[in-house]
Amino acid sequence: MFHKEFFVLLCFLHAETESIANSEFNLQGDYLLGGLFDIHYASVAHYRNIPEAVICSSNPFTLSSYRRFQMMRFSIEEINNSTSLLPNVTLGYEIFDHCSDTKNFPGIFSLMSVVGSIQPWKESVNFSKVIAVVGTYTSTATLTVAPLFMKDLVPLISYGAASSVFSRKKNFPSFLRTVHPNKDVIKMIFEILQRFKWTWVTFLYADDDYGRDGYDLFVKMIRNTDICLGYSKGLNTDTDYPKMFKQIIDFRVNVIIVFTAEWTAEAVINSAIQQNVTNKVWIAADAWSLHKELPKKTGIRNIGTVLGVAEPKTTIPGFSDFIYSFKAQNQCENPEQDPFCNQMCNCSSLSAEDIITADPSFNFPVYSAVYAVAHALHAVLQCGAGSCNKSIKVYPHMVRKQRFLVLFYCFKSMILSIKLVSLLDHCIVTN
């Protein structure tokens, strides 16, 4: 155990004291953005009793998150190639694979540091080497890392953390998000139930901050209505799915809402197929409604009708060309990089088509988050007439002060109406 923690420390020190060659995860620039993406998923159950840092690349790979990671890289390249947004200024990035909520801190420490040092007891505005951080994806992960950035008002712009708790500005003064909060998604689910007059429902939710928040909002919304909650359950890695489905069938509930992340939804649907659950109506939350692999599962059409709430698919011009170019260059992580740095993806076998056709959920929120920071920096540096004032010393709190510009881009991302989609056909069926 000591051996592993020692190398985690070495990883952090090496990243801070040596110049890092450009790779998938690092790009030098005048101003640095941090990025946190769960490219791999480390099961809580597997690491529950292991007090060690996690090597993300040894865990299951999440293609949809890798696509979001590439979207951040593309957004920054597009901004750097622009002659109007940040002329004569380049953005760089340092991105980490954030595969665990609680055992993934070397990357966080790296983003928090200045010249290889973290000194929280010192009164200094030079708190962080990054001007903002894009991430993280889940509400639980964001609750873990957000307090570390809030004290010094480092903007943390999440593309996926939807829990209601982040609306408390007193607790999260520099937190912003480019994704619909849970209350909007729950409201849409509620309207679907009302429209189709479905009044006897099951609510399955992830037993985490995201899922419990969704469940609480749903219970409040159906209070004093004709909709009754026939069955509910928080899901985790220990869930007995055969027992759960037996109870749902015994209660004769035919409408099942699944408010979970994609990996939990996979377990639910796979179990439903195995248990021969048939003729149900399933309503997917936006976290998994555009899942690309589930519709291909043998037997999935037997489970019934699968509908989902999702943001409209937004085509971002140039992204496909960026991916084709990237794969042609065969650019990948530094093979000499210690795996504890969590800047490895083991993704050389992926084709450009694999990435481009992956689940596009939460990609536009990533794109919007990067552009929000760029427009705030444009204002701070007083950019105009083909140049920016690079003599201005930029600190994270100055970017945060341009919150109206940042909020505009966050709102622009969220103003896209949520739509109801058919998971099995991936077609929009109603607004």
Side-chain angles (χ1 to χ4, degrees):
M1 182 174 67
F2 173 78
H3 177 74
K4 287 191 174 183
E5 295 298 341
F6 175 70
F7 275 102
V8 171
L9 178 61
L10 282 183
C11 163
F12 170 58
L13 293 176
H14 174 77
E16 296 304 313
T17 57
E18 301 291 334
S19 61
I20 300 175
N22 288 352
S23 73
E24 273 192 288
F25 292 86
N26 299 278
L27 179 69
Q28 295 178 350
D30 297 322
Y31 302 96
L32 199 64
L33 273 69
L36 297 169
F37 294 84
D38 53 342
I39 299 172
H40 296 84
Y41 173 63
S43 169
V44 175
H46 183 71
Y47 292 97
R48 183 178 296 156
N49 299 316
I50 304 176
E52 299 174 359
V54 174
I55 300 178
C56 287
S57 57
S58 65
N59 288 276
F61 178 74
T62 306
L63 180 56
S64 57
S65 289
Y66 184 69
R67 193 185 199 276
R68 290 188 279 269
F69 159 71
Q70 293 294 348
M71 183 59 69
M72 177 173 176
R73 297 181 61 245
F74 164 73
S75 305
I76 288 178
E77 178 175 288
E78 187 176 65
I79 291 167
N80 286 341
N81 290 335
S82 169
T83 58
S84 58
L85 183 52
L86 291 173
N88 79 311
V89 168
T90 58
L91 293 179
Y93 53 75
E94 187 167 345
I95 305 175
F96 291 91
D97 186 355
H98 196 74
C99 65
S100 169
D101 299 332
T102 58
K103 301 179 185 296
N104 226 175
F105 281 92
I108 305 299
F109 294 153
S110 177
L111 297 180
M112 291 172 57
S113 68
V114 178
V115 196
S117 177
I118 299 175
Q119 297 179 335
W121 55 87
K122 256 192 171 183
E123 291 187 11
S124 171
V125 292
N126 195 20
F127 165 75
S128 170
K129 67 181 178 184
V130 297
I131 60 170
V133 177
V134 176
T136 57
Y137 178 49
T138 69
S139 293
T140 299
T142 304
L143 275 171
T144 304
V145 305
L148 300 174
F149 295 103
M150 295 300 105
K151 176 181 176 295
D152 290 84
L153 301 179
V154 177
L156 182 67
I157 307 178
S158 175
Y159 50 87
S163 178
S164 304
V165 69
F166 299 113
S167 298
R168 302 174 187 169
K169 281 302 172 187
K170 182 177 180 181
N171 302 100
F172 302 97
S174 60
F175 173 86
L176 296 160
R177 55 183 159 199
T178 53
V179 66
H180 285 275
N182 278 343
K183 64 180 180 64
D184 292 347
V185 178
I186 292 296
K187 183 179 179 182
M188 183 65 178
I189 292 173
F190 175 73
E191 290 177 357
I192 293 169
L193 297 177
Q194 285 194 316
R195 175 168 180 171
F196 292 101
K197 295 180 171 57
W198 292 327
T199 58
W200 185 238
V201 303
T202 284
F203 195 97
L204 304 179
Y205 58 97
D207 191 14
D208 59 18
D209 298 283
Y210 162 76
R212 288 189 293 269
D213 180 60
Y215 172 73
D216 291 341
L217 289 167
F218 182 74
V219 170
K220 290 177 182 177
M221 190 158 288
I222 66 173
R223 191 173 295 156
N224 300 322
T225 71
D226 293 334
I227 299 171
C228 295
L229 189 59
Y231 182 85
S232 64
K233 188 170 182 62
L235 308 178
N236 54 44
T237 53
D238 298 323
T239 297
D240 185 339
Y241 287 107
K243 180 180 178 181
M244 180 189 78
F245 281 120
K246 184 180 183 305
Q247 292 172 333
I248 291 174
I249 292 170
D250 289 344
F251 281 109
R252 299 182 180 180
V253 187
N254 291 321
V255 178
I256 303 175
I257 301 161
V258 183
F259 198 86
T260 71
E262 59 185 288
W263 43 85
T264 306
E266 289 170 2
V268 172
I269 299 301
N270 286 334
S271 180
I273 295 171
Q274 292 168 7
Q275 299 301 314
N276 196 30
V277 176
T278 60
N279 300 321
K280 303 295 183 185
V281 173
W282 304 77
I283 301 178
D286 58 337
W288 68 280
S289 57
L290 295 181
H291 200 295
K292 287 297 185 76
E293 297 305 316
L294 282 178
K296 302 174 186 177
K297 291 284 185 181
T298 301
I300 191 171
R301 292 184 179 274
N302 296 331
I303 69 173
T305 301
V306 186
L307 303 175
V309 177
E311 61 182 74
K313 292 174 65 175
T314 304
T315 301
I316 299 177
F319 178 68
S320 295
D321 292 338
F322 170 81
I323 295 299
Y324 280 119
S325 175
F326 161 69
K327 294 303 291 185
Q329 296 170 19
N330 197 30
Q331 183 185 18
C332 203
E333 62 268 359
N334 182 354
E336 298 179 358
Q337 178 70 65
D338 190 283
F340 275 101
C341 291
N342 288 330
Q343 292 185 314
M344 299 179 68
C345 67
N346 294 333
C347 52
S348 58
S349 62
L350 285 177
S351 68
E353 288 77 11
D354 291 333
I355 301 169
I356 293 167
T357 60
D359 178 1
S361 298
F362 303 98
N363 278 233
F364 189 70
V366 171
Y367 185 79
S368 298
V370 175
Y371 266 87
V373 176
H375 278 269
L377 188 60
H378 176 97
V380 171
L381 294 176
Q382 303 170 1
C383 298
S387 67
C388 299
N389 186 356
K390 295 175 70 173
S391 65
I392 297 174
K393 181 68 174 176
V394 179
Y395 297 108
H397 69 90
M398 297 168 66
V399 175
R400 182 257 180 186
K401 282 184 179 178
Q402 301 298 324
R403 57 187 178 276
F404 294 112
L405 277 173
V406 176
L407 284 170
F408 171 77
Y409 272 84
C410 294
F411 178 73
K412 186 178 179 181
S413 171
M414 292 188 290
I415 201 170
L416 297 172
S417 61
I418 301 177
K419 293 191 176 182
L420 177 64
V421 301
S422 166
L423 179 71
L424 298 183
D425 299 318
H426 279 271
C427 62
I428 297 170
V429 295
T430 184
N431 284 331

